[in-house]
């Protein structure tokens, strides 16, 4: 079945800098890759997603890139702000969603 | 995602007891899912249902049971056979049959006393 690996597990950046989180997946047939943000004690919320027929997608300060050949996809957050501090999960879809282990992002003022 | 509700928010269980977690959605979604989240870990799929009266085991179904008698409801029972049930349980719903957004409920935190 599908396996999704996420790196790094923790990430600390200065406010205003960029943050990048990378995920790799195992099954080339996977066709949908969402990213979720989860604040402490709350539900995961979708922040951006990408499908296998697209290489890049942007939404304001957030972007996701997909490299199907290498089987990896990345989340890019620019101009980070304190409210970006949270745990971020990537996932890959092949009959069901398989989640990465999560990245705890801390934005330092 | 405000259309998915879970209850209770906190649940305490004594060893040997079965408990049922409620999940309701008014988004008219065909598919519903149950995930378990342990501290510092990702989400693991327990059970899912693509249509009423049908459901499939996920990756960690042992010790859990579900039913899907109504489109809006997908309750999860944590049985006494689940040896380590203390966790955060998340219900989600989405469109059936494909890669699409899953919307999560607020979660139930289960603690075994």
């Amino acid at each position: 079945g599908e396996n999704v690996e996420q790196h790094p597990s923790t990430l600390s950046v200065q406010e205003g800098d960029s943050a990048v989180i990378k995920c790799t997946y195992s099954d080339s047939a996977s066709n949908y890759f969402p990213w979720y943000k989860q604040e402490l004690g709350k539900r995961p919320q979708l922040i951006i997603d990408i499908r296998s027929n697209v290489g890049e997608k942007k939404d304001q300060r957030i972007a996701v890139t997909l490299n199907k050949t290498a089987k990896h996809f990345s989340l890019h957050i620019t101009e980070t702000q304190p409210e970006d501090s949270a745990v971020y999960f990537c996932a890959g879809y092949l009959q069901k969603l398989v989640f990465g282990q999560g990245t705890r992002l801390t934005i330092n003022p | 995602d405000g259309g998915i509700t879970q209850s209770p928010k906190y649940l305490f269980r004594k060893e040997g007891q079965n408990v049922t977690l409620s999940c309701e959605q008014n988004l008219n979604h065909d598919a519903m899912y149950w995930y378990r989240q342990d501290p510092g870990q990702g989400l693991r799929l327990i059970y899912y249902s693509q249509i009423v009266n049908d459901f499939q085991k996920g990756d960690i179904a042992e010790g859990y049971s579900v039913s899907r008698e109504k489109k809006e409801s997908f309750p999860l029972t944590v049985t006494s056979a689940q040896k380590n049930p203390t966790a955060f349980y998340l219900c989600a719903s989405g469109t059936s049959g494909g890669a699409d957004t899953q919307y999560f409920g607020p979660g139930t935190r289960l603690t075994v006393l």
Side-chain angles (χ1 to χ4, degrees):
Chain A
E2 174 67 290
N3 183 50
V4 175
E5 299 285 339
Q6 184 172 346
H7 300 280
S9 56
T10 60
L11 179 60
S12 182
V13 302
Q14 290 298 119
E15 183 178 353
D17 288 350
S18 295
V20 180
I21 303 170
K22 179 180 285 190
C23 290
T24 59
Y25 60 99
S26 60
D27 198 315
S28 57
S30 293
N31 58 9
Y32 174 64
F33 306 93
W35 285 89
Y36 285 85
K37 175 184 180 182
Q38 186 179 29
E39 297 177 358
L40 188 62
K42 297 191 176 181
R43 74 185 84 189
Q45 294 197 309
L46 180 77
I47 55 172
I48 196 166
D49 56 10
I50 193 167
R51 300 189 184 274
S52 58
N53 59 347
V54 176
E56 183 176 5
K57 184 176 179 180
K58 290 183 179 179
D59 183 2
Q60 299 183 345
R61 297 186 297 109
I62 294 173
V64 56
T65 58
L66 172 64
N67 184 326
K68 288 191 294 183
T69 302
K71 291 189 286 187
H72 69 71
F73 56 111
S74 300
L75 177 71
H76 305 254
I77 305 174
T78 59
E79 302 173 8
T80 53
Q81 301 169 2
E83 53 265 35
D84 294 330
S85 294
V87 178
Y88 292 80
F89 293 97
C90 64
Y93 182 91
L94 181 64
Q95 299 179 339
K96 59 185 179 183
L97 272 184
V98 176
F99 286 84
Q101 294 295 91
T103 296
R104 181 173 300 279
L105 175 63
T106 302
I107 308 301
N108 301 309
Chain B
D1 50 72
I4 302 179
T5 58
Q6 290 185 242
S7 61
K9 186 174 182 179
Y10 299 97
L11 185 58
F12 298 91
R13 191 195 92 168
K14 294 181 180 179
E15 287 192 12
Q17 280 184 337
N18 292 355
V19 291
T20 298
L21 284 58
S22 169
C23 178
E24 304 276 334
Q25 55 97 1
N26 62 4
L27 300 169
N28 200 34
H29 285 159
D30 288 314
M32 297 187 73
Y33 309 83
W34 274 106
Y35 293 92
R36 170 178 172 147
Q37 187 174 33
D38 293 284
Q41 296 192 29
L43 285 70
R44 293 184 290 168
L45 184 63
I46 305 172
Y47 268 98
Y48 63 104
S49 168
Q50 301 279 25
I51 197 169
V52 175
N53 292 322
D54 189 40
F55 49 83
Q56 289 78 40
K57 293 182 179 180
D59 301 315
I60 56 166
E62 184 175 353
Y64 300 97
S65 66
V66 294
S67 63
R68 186 84 188 279
E69 298 176 1
K70 298 187 299 182
K71 186 175 185 177
E72 302 80 19
S73 178
F74 192 40
L76 173 74
T77 297
V78 184
T79 75
S80 56
Q82 170 50 237
K83 297 306 178 188
N84 186 21
T86 294
F88 189 47
Y89 290 87
L90 287 157
C91 177
S93 71
T95 57
S96 177
D100 212 341
T101 304
Q102 289 187 18
Y103 298 90
F104 285 86
T108 292
R109 191 166 299 280
L110 173 63
T111 302
V112 173
L113 302 174

